[in-house]
Amino acid sequence: MRDVTESNAVTEPRRYGDELAVVTVTYSPGETLERFLDTLAEATEREPQVVLADNGSTDGVPERVAAERPNVRLLVTGENLGYGAAANRGVAEFGDEYGWVIVANPDIEWGKGSIDELLKAASRWPRGGSFGPLIRETNGEVYPSARLLPSLGKGVGHAVVGRVWRDNPWTKAYRQSDTEVRERPAGWLSGSCLLLRREAFDSVDGFDPRYFMYFEDVDLGDRIGKAGWQNVYVPSAEVVHIGGHSTSKASAKMLEAHHLSAYRYMADRHQGAEWKPLLAAIKAGLKLRLKLETRK
């Protein structure tokens, strides 16, 4: 972004080097953080610096790990800022020599050479702003981490019937379930593991901090695309997502955050009086769905 001073001089965009940094947002991550860092050493031939953007851990793990590992630094945010805002803080800790930043959950296990595969893909896609690996669940299944942007039709269809009719056409289209597993552009990529070109991340001012949790990655992918960059799925790089360690203790709260973020995403993109009746119906539907989910 360009800044114009009072003297009308134009400041050139920041230029970044080729160094690699890693940011992970921690919230009482437990033993998963150790595995994250151990496998990180096998994911790249580089020696990345790591920032733990901590949102109020109480298990003492981030403090201990940062004290024991020379390439790991603890950033205490002072409160639970949410995922995107904390990630932004972590990225801002690095100097201009760091042109590549990994933002990933602390419950990721890295496949051997996975980060180097993402960096190789970046050289093939000069307009690539974000790059996402193939993500496996602990049972070996492939998680649909490269998806279309949710339109009103697909998004509402997926939200309303996705839990009870898993093979419905809206969910399949949104998740791109029938799409061949190959390197390709996507509407958005899972924020659980992203390689970000810092120039692209800067161009959209990073994650939108209004999304406390969930949909911050959908929103980022949409804005990266609108800024002229690409979100690129790189299945030759693989990781395993252990999933749910820090959020399982607050599932009702996380469900509420998910529904609030889903509504915010749609409301942000459908502004004006003509959309208000439909948005009111969507809000009511999401509220009912949340009530049913929390009752379970």
Side-chain angles (χ1 to χ4, degrees):
M1 298 178 64
R2 292 176 180 268
D3 297 319
V4 181
T5 67
E6 293 182 1
S7 63
N8 293 324
V10 177
T11 303
E12 289 296 319
R14 293 175 70 174
R15 303 295 181 186
Y16 291 109
D18 197 45
E19 294 298 314
L20 174 68
V22 175
V23 173
T24 186
V25 178
T26 52
Y27 183 74
S28 297
E31 71 281 356
T32 60
L33 182 58
E34 293 276 11
R35 186 64 182 160
F36 175 95
L37 294 168
D38 288 343
T39 56
L40 178 65
E42 301 176 354
T44 177
E45 294 181 354
R46 301 193 187 196
E47 297 182 2
Q49 294 297 305
V50 181
V51 160
L52 312 178
D54 190 69
N55 268 343
S57 294
T58 58
D59 62 0
V61 172
E63 292 87 348
R64 175 176 58 78
V65 168
E68 293 175 352
R69 301 191 183 228
N71 67 322
V72 178
R73 182 156 39 106
L74 178 65
L75 170 65
V76 178
T77 66
E79 57 181 312
N80 192 349
L81 302 178
Y83 188 81
N88 288 346
R89 289 273 192 96
V91 173
E93 288 289 297
F94 294 100
D96 292 358
E97 66 272 28
Y98 292 92
W100 301 99
V101 180
I102 294 277
V103 174
N105 287 5
D107 53 2
I108 288 289
E109 290 188 2
W110 302 94
K112 188 173 182 179
S114 53
I115 293 177
D116 287 341
E117 282 295 316
L118 292 173
L119 289 166
K120 289 176 185 176
S123 68
R124 297 191 290 271
W125 297 82
R127 292 304 297 171
S130 72
F131 301 84
L134 182 148
I135 300 174
R136 291 193 184 276
E137 307 279 9
T138 52
N139 63 4
E141 291 185 8
V142 175
Y143 176 75
S145 60
R147 305 189 186 185
L148 292 175
L149 290 167
S151 63
L152 271 177
K154 292 185 181 71
V156 172
H158 168 67
V160 172
V161 304
R163 294 278 183 176
V164 296
W165 180 17
R166 294 188 180 276
D167 202 36
N168 72 82
W170 303 285
T171 296
K172 288 178 70 175
Y174 167 55
R175 291 189 170 190
Q176 297 195 288
S177 301
D178 295 331
T179 303
E180 182 183 356
V181 178
R182 58 179 175 80
E183 189 168 298
R184 58 179 173 83
W188 65 279
L189 302 163
S190 171
S192 63
C193 185
L194 288 173
L195 169 68
L196 296 162
R197 192 187 301 269
R198 202 163 171 196
E199 181 185 355
F201 192 67
D202 272 4
S203 74
V204 297
D205 297 322
F207 289 103
D208 186 337
R210 296 177 304 150
Y211 293 85
F212 179 79
M213 181 169 283
Y214 303 112
F215 274 82
E216 73 285 327
D217 46 7
V218 188
D219 173 79
L220 180 69
D222 182 30
R223 291 185 293 111
I224 281 177
K226 287 176 178 175
W229 300 94
Q230 294 172 302
N231 303 287
V232 182
Y233 180 49
V234 187
S236 57
E238 286 197 26
V239 303
V240 176
H241 189 196
I242 305 302
H245 179 85
S246 62
T247 59
S248 60
K249 298 188 284 278
S251 58
K253 183 178 179 181
M254 294 303 102
L255 281 170
E256 182 180 7
H258 185 275
H259 286 73
L260 288 172
S261 293
Y263 177 77
R264 180 183 296 281
Y265 179 86
M266 289 299 179
D268 280 352
R269 287 153 180 81
H270 298 88
Q271 299 184 16
E274 69 273 20
W275 292 107
K276 286 185 178 180
L278 181 56
L279 288 171
I282 291 172
K283 179 180 279 188
L286 287 170
K287 186 175 181 180
L288 176 60
R289 183 188 177 192
L290 175 61
K291 187 174 182 180
L292 294 173
E293 289 287 335
T294 52
R295 183 177 295 172
K296 290 178 184 178

